[in-house]
Each structure stands twice: as C-alpha cells, then as structure tokens.
Amino acid sequence: MKYKSLFALILILALNTGYANSEVDSLINVLQKEISNSKIYIKTKEDKIANLKSLLTDEKASLNNQYFIINKIIDEYQYYSFDRALLFTEKNLDIAKKLKDKYKISESQLKLSRLLVDSGRYKEALDILKDIKRSNLNDNLLNIYYFNQKEAYSGLNFYTMVKINKNEYRELYYKYEDSLSKRIALSSAESMALLEKKYRDERKLPKALEINTQRLKNTKIGTREYSMVTFERSILYELLSDVDNQKKFLILSAISDIKSNVKDNASLSNLAMILYSEKDIDQAHQFISFSMEDAKFYNSQLRYVNISNVLTSITKAYDLRSSEQKFKLKTFLILISLLGLLLLAVVVYVYKQKNKISLARNNLKEANEQLNSLNKELNIKNDDLNNLYMLLSKSNDIKVHYIGTFLNLYSEYIDKLDVYRKLVTKYITANKSRDLLDLTKSKQVIDTELKLFYKNFDESFLQIYPNFITEFNKLLKEEDQIVLKNNDEILNTELRIYALIRLGITNSSKISKILRYSVNTIYNFRVKIKNSAINREEFENQVKKIA
C-alpha cells in the first residue's frame, strides 16, 4: 500500500508540467531507490514462479492442468527471462501436440512467435506464423496472429538497411495493422494504442497525447501496460522537443519496469542516453549499466546490441571522467599531503614556540617572583633606611640636645666653682677658717651633685633606649625581674651598671669610677644579675644588643 500511495503521488506530480525540473530530480531519486530494491522484487517474482513450478510436481496433474500451469509460468517469464520463457513455451507446445488440441497448439505457436518478436528474432517469428492456419484460429487468437505479424514487420522495417525490403516490410506492416484495426473494438486498449500510433506517425501529436492520457488513466504503475504507455508518451514528448517531460515519463516507465520485473525494457537505456547528452555521466553510467544487466539476464540480442552501442560511449566518457577525477584526486592528495606536512611542521613549530613561551612565562614568573621578593626586601630596606634615617635624625637631635645639656651643665659647674671660690675667699678674708673647714668636711654638696648626675644620666640614657627596662627584664627570670620601688626613681644601681655596659663600658673599675661605687660592689651587682638571667653565659652580650 505504501508503494501504491507513493507512486500515485509521483504520477500526479508527473502530470503537472509546472514543476518539471524538481519533479525530474525527485523521480530520479525514486528510480535510484527502486534500483536498490530490485533484488526484493526479483525474489518475490522467483518465489511466485517456484510456487507455480511446485504444482507441476504433482503426479496427479493431468496434461491439461500442466498446460494451464505452464501458461501461467510463461506469463511470468515472458518479459523476465527469454531462455526460460522459450523453454516452457516449447514444453507447452509439446503438451498441446500430445493432447492433439488444435487451439492449444495454435495458442502455443502464437505465444512462441510473440516471444521471438519481443526479443527481436523477427524472421524466426515469421517462420512460425507461416505454419499457423488462420482457419483454425478463433477471434481472440486471430487478433494475436495479426498483432504478431504487425510487430514482426514493424521491427524488420525499422532495422533493415535494404531499401527494397524496407518498403516491402512497411506495406506488410500497414496491411496487418489495418486488418487488426478492423477486428478490434474502437474503445479497446489495443484500438487506442493503434490510434495513438497512427496519430504519432502522422505527427498529430496533440491528438496522440490526448489518446495516451486516456490510456494512462486505465493503467497502474508496476505493470507492463503502464511501462509501455509511459514509454510511448516519452516518444511523443521527444517529438515535441520537451526534454523534461520526456525524461519524466522515461523514469516512470523504468520505475514500473523494475517493480514489475520487466527485464526486456528500453526506457532506462533511453534515459541514460539523454543524461549522457546532458553530461550527467555518473547517472548515465549507473542506468546504462543496470539496463545492460537486464538485457543480459533476459537474453535479448537486439536489446543487448542497442545498449552495447550506447554503453561503449558512456563507459568511455565515464572512464575518462574517472581518470580525470583520479588524477585530480591524486593531485589533491599530493597537495593535501604537502599541506599536511606543512601543517605538521607548523604544529611542531607552534609546539616548540609554545614550549619556549611557556618556559619564558615560567622564567618571567620566577623573575616576577624574585622581583616581588626584591621589592619586598627593598621595601623592608626602605623601611629600615627610613627607620635609620629617623634614628639618625633622632640621634642628631639627641646629640644636639645632649651637647647643649653638656655645655649647660659644664657652664653650671663653672658657675658653681666660681661661687665656691668666692665663698672660700670670703671665709678666708673674714678669718672664718673654722667655718670653712666645717663646710669642706660636709658631704651634702657631693650628695646633691651625685643625685643630679644620676638623674641626668638616667634621663639621657632612657631618651636613647626608651625600651631598655622592658627588654632587660625579658632576659631575666620572671621572679627575678627588676621592679623600681620609688616612683621618682628612673633607674636603680643594677640598671645603671648594665646601662653603661650597653653603652660599651664593660670594665668594672671604669663603671665604679663613673657611678662612684667600689669595684667589689660593681662586681657583686653584676654577678647577682647574671645569676638571675635566663641565659647566664650570653646575658651581657644580649644586653649589648638591646635596641
């Protein structure tokens, strides 16, 4: 049902001449699909024939039954395989002779002559027709007799090269055609076919197309009749120089031939010739090759010869084009190979460059990391320099401050000595020797000056090392850390001793002279503090490093 619907649609499209090019392309696609499906149709055909042949194996089958079955087999083989159709036709003729049935003998002879006519064996067909007595033929067989005569002389007229014979064959053709026309009904398929051919021969093409259209309505795709009507329609369009419609109906005829397993066909080879003239070598070669296979399968000598003439030209053009394509393909392959090698070289080059770039990026990354590290170090150094600058600036300020302080103190001590000198002079002038002696014996002046000295030293030292007490205590055990007892006290004796050590004065005798203690006292203080240190051996070195 699917195929019937499909080809009904194709038929509608084929009758619409408004879309010729697209229709032809679509129909060619369908034809190619049908060529692919041809083996399926062949198998169906063979299965049907096999079933008919199996009926002949029945021993109870009478000769009449056998004759009837063989007739069915002949119908299946008629346009499918000449050799097998001939074999069974001759077998049926033998059966008819055994039965001594004049009707069956004449029927078999007519079938044999029709087979020979269809395969182009015109002389052999006429020889058989000569042996048939027309008086033994009923109306139906007589029609077949005239038809076979007409077709035989039509073929001889078409193919003979001898002018005298050609005229003779033409006259005989018209004679039997006229006899046949008079015998058949005007509305019959045979009558319409003869009328169409008459109009075609007279070049009354519109009338011939009108008759063909009526005939086409009475046929179905996939039958021998449809194949013949569409083929004859393509001839009409050829005479009208309408190539698109000519191709269209040749394609429809070829599709019908394939579906009905008609191996004795002309439509596909004619289509191939048109495509060849249009330089469509691929499809022309495909179709002519398929048509040649059909001709070989059927064993039609006439069709085989006709196709061979065309096949040679198409195959030569196909081989030439194939050679050109192979040369182009070879050239393209060489170019592609060269381009492939070039591409490979480019890929290798790009890969190497990529590695170099990757390496350069890694180096750059490392350099950036080093630069960042150097920048950080530089920032630290800058900070250190800034700090150092601040310290130097501060140190300069301290130096200026303490130079001023020293000069001020020195000036004060000069003033004090001058006051003390004047006081001594005064006491001596006034003969107050005893009072002067009492004054010199008193330590009050020394104690006062010593306290002032300690105060100035403590303030000056802590101005330079403000974190000294905190950092110093970090070097001592927690329980032995120094806590100043008096809020007015800036440094105590232990701290002053190590303050001098921080300033680089490590000799106990020098420390004792500065602080006005005995050497033993200084030594005892140092031992005591060392014993309280976390790291006794490195204690004084650590003190020297306090910032």
Side-chain angles (χ1 to χ4, degrees):
M1 290 297 293
K2 289 183 179 178
Y3 285 112
K4 287 182 179 178
S5 300
L6 174 64
F7 285 103
L9 177 61
I10 291 170
L11 178 58
I12 292 169
L13 290 172
L15 293 173
N16 186 350
T17 58
Y19 303 95
N21 290 331
S22 61
E23 286 175 347
V24 169
D25 292 338
S26 299
L27 287 171
I28 283 179
N29 290 334
V30 174
L31 175 57
Q32 288 174 331
K33 289 180 181 177
E34 290 303 311
I35 288 174
S36 300
N37 293 332
S38 61
K39 291 182 179 178
I40 298 172
Y41 299 133
I42 290 171
K43 186 177 185 307
T44 303
K45 183 83 166 179
E46 293 288 352
D47 289 344
K48 185 177 181 181
I49 293 171
N51 289 334
L52 289 171
K53 286 179 180 180
S54 66
L55 297 176
L56 294 175
T57 60
D58 187 358
E59 296 178 356
K60 295 180 180 180
S62 64
L63 287 176
N64 281 319
N65 286 340
Q66 289 180 31
Y67 182 86
F68 175 79
I69 294 167
I70 291 172
N71 260 348
K72 295 291 184 182
I73 294 173
I74 292 168
D75 290 341
E76 294 296 327
Y77 277 134
Q78 185 174 0
Y79 303 108
Y80 180 64
S81 172
F82 171 79
D83 293 335
R84 283 181 275 183
L86 178 62
L87 175 67
F88 281 95
T89 302
E90 289 177 335
K91 186 178 290 188
N92 237 13
L93 184 57
D94 289 339
I95 292 173
K97 288 176 179 180
K98 288 178 182 179
L99 291 170
K100 296 180 181 180
D101 188 327
K102 292 180 180 180
Y103 176 85
K104 288 183 173 59
I105 292 171
S106 298
E107 183 184 43
S108 296
Q109 287 175 325
L110 288 171
K111 280 184 178 289
L112 182 57
S113 66
R114 176 63 183 271
L115 184 63
L116 293 169
V117 167
D118 288 340
S119 64
R121 296 168 172 85
Y122 304 116
K123 280 294 184 182
E124 294 176 64
L126 289 171
D127 289 340
I128 292 172
L129 290 171
K130 287 177 184 177
D131 293 335
I132 299 175
K133 293 181 180 181
R134 280 185 286 182
S135 58
N136 294 334
L137 303 177
N138 62 13
D139 288 343
N140 182 49
L141 293 180
L142 190 58
N143 289 344
I144 296 172
Y145 173 82
Y146 285 132
F147 180 84
N148 288 353
Q149 290 279 12
K150 172 184 76 72
E151 289 296 307
Y153 285 115
S154 174
L156 288 171
N157 172 56
F158 183 82
Y159 286 106
T160 187
M161 302 297 292
V162 181
K163 188 174 182 180
I164 298 174
N165 292 342
K166 196 174 190 71
N167 292 332
E168 180 186 350
Y169 295 147
R170 187 186 302 115
E171 288 177 7
L172 289 168
Y173 163 73
Y174 285 131
K175 173 186 172 183
Y176 284 109
E177 183 184 43
D178 184 61
S179 299
L180 183 62
S181 298
K182 291 176 180 177
R183 291 187 55 79
I184 57 179
L186 293 176
S187 61
S188 66
E190 293 85 355
S191 177
M192 291 179 72
L194 290 172
L195 185 58
E196 180 185 334
K197 187 175 186 306
K198 180 175 179 294
Y199 285 142
R200 185 173 70 232
D201 292 341
E202 294 172 356
R203 294 298 185 265
K204 296 178 181 179
L205 302 179
K207 288 186 177 182
L209 275 172
E210 184 180 345
I211 298 297
N212 184 273
T213 302
Q214 295 178 24
R215 293 175 64 203
L216 195 58
K217 291 178 181 178
N218 297 325
T219 59
K220 290 183 179 180
I221 196 164
T223 63
R224 170 69 177 175
E225 290 73 21
Y226 181 91
S227 301
M228 288 300 298
V229 173
T230 48
F231 179 76
E232 289 167 3
R233 192 176 185 87
S234 74
I235 296 173
L236 293 174
Y237 281 118
E238 181 182 7
L239 295 172
L240 289 168
S241 300
D242 187 345
V243 178
D244 286 332
N245 275 316
Q246 182 188 1
K247 287 193 293 184
K248 183 190 305 180
F249 287 97
L250 282 174
I251 293 168
L252 288 169
S253 179
I255 290 170
S256 184
D257 282 335
I258 293 169
K259 288 178 67 65
S260 58
N261 288 295
V262 174
K263 299 296 183 181
D264 182 25
N265 58 69
S267 53
L268 199 57
S269 58
N270 285 8
L271 176 63
M273 291 171 65
I274 296 173
L275 294 174
Y276 171 66
S277 67
E278 294 176 346
K279 306 300 181 184
D280 191 348
I281 306 300
D282 285 336
Q283 287 187 340
H285 185 265
Q286 178 190 5
F287 295 154
I288 200 68
S289 297
F290 188 81
S291 186
M292 175 60 82
E293 291 300 319
D294 277 356
K296 286 180 181 178
F297 187 90
Y298 182 77
N299 191 20
S300 172
Q301 295 179 354
L302 182 61
R303 195 80 63 201
Y304 187 84
V305 171
N306 290 338
I307 293 174
S308 295
N309 295 331
V310 181
L311 180 64
T312 303
S313 300
I314 295 177
T315 302
K316 185 177 179 181
Y318 181 80
D319 290 341
L320 179 61
R321 201 177 69 84
S322 296
S323 298
E324 291 175 354
Q325 287 180 337
K326 286 179 181 178
F327 177 75
K328 289 180 181 178
L329 181 61
K330 186 177 180 181
T331 304
F332 285 141
L333 285 173
I334 292 170
L335 288 175
I336 290 169
S337 299
L338 292 174
L339 288 173
L341 291 173
L342 180 61
L343 180 61
L344 180 62
V346 170
V347 169
V348 171
Y349 175 77
V350 169
Y351 179 75
K352 287 183 178 180
Q353 291 300 111
K354 184 180 177 183
N355 287 340
K356 287 182 180 179
I357 291 171
S358 179
L359 183 61
R361 283 178 179 172
N362 291 334
N363 292 336
L364 184 61
K365 185 179 179 182
E366 291 177 1
N368 284 334
E369 290 176 353
Q370 291 177 358
L371 184 60
N372 289 333
S373 178
L374 289 173
N375 283 335
K376 289 179 181 178
E377 291 180 7
L378 184 60
N379 289 332
I380 294 170
K381 296 297 181 184
N382 284 336
D383 292 339
D384 291 342
L385 285 173
N386 288 331
N387 292 333
L388 182 60
Y389 176 77
M390 294 289 293
L391 289 172
L392 288 173
S393 298
K394 193 173 182 181
S395 177
N396 286 332
D397 293 340
I398 291 170
K399 286 178 181 179
V400 171
H401 173 74
Y402 286 109
I403 288 171
T405 301
F406 173 75
L407 291 175
N408 184 55
L409 287 173
Y410 200 77
S411 176
E412 286 180 0
Y413 277 120
I414 291 172
D415 290 340
K416 287 179 180 181
L417 285 173
D418 186 50
V419 170
Y420 195 72
R421 179 187 64 78
K422 288 178 180 180
L423 182 62
V424 170
T425 302
K426 181 181 177 182
Y427 272 99
I428 291 172
T429 303
N431 282 323
K432 292 181 180 180
S433 301
R434 185 170 291 277
D435 290 338
L436 181 60
L437 182 61
D438 291 337
L439 180 63
T440 55
K441 286 181 179 179
S442 174
K443 288 187 176 182
Q444 185 178 357
V445 175
I446 299 299
D447 291 339
T448 300
E449 292 300 324
L450 191 58
K451 286 181 180 179
L452 182 60
F453 168 73
Y454 287 156
K455 182 176 180 298
N456 286 330
F457 174 81
D458 294 347
E459 288 177 351
S460 298
F461 181 79
L462 291 178
Q463 187 72 26
I464 299 171
Y465 301 102
N467 298 322
F468 180 77
I469 297 173
T470 303
E471 297 298 322
F472 184 80
N473 276 330
K474 288 180 181 179
L475 301 176
L476 302 177
K477 298 173 184 176
E478 189 175 352
E479 64 273 13
D480 294 325
Q481 291 180 356
I482 295 173
V483 179
L484 298 175
K485 298 176 182 179
N486 191 345
N487 290 335
D488 295 332
E489 190 176 27
I490 299 173
L491 296 176
N492 60 14
T493 303
E494 293 93 329
L495 290 173
R496 288 189 191 102
I497 291 170
Y498 280 97
L500 290 171
I501 291 172
R502 176 64 189 85
L503 292 173
I505 303 170
T506 58
N507 190 283
S508 294
S509 60
K510 288 183 179 181
I511 295 172
S512 67
K513 288 179 181 180
I514 294 170
L515 297 180
R516 301 186 71 80
Y517 288 107
S518 67
V519 174
N520 286 335
T521 300
I522 297 300
Y523 178 78
N524 289 334
F525 273 121
R526 290 178 75 172
V527 171
K528 177 185 175 185
I529 294 299
K530 271 187 178 182
N531 290 335
S532 300
I534 295 172
N535 187 347
R536 189 177 184 281
E537 299 299 325
E538 293 294 323
F539 175 68
E540 290 193 357
N541 288 330
Q542 290 173 344
V543 170
K544 292 176 183 179
K545 295 178 182 179
I546 293 174

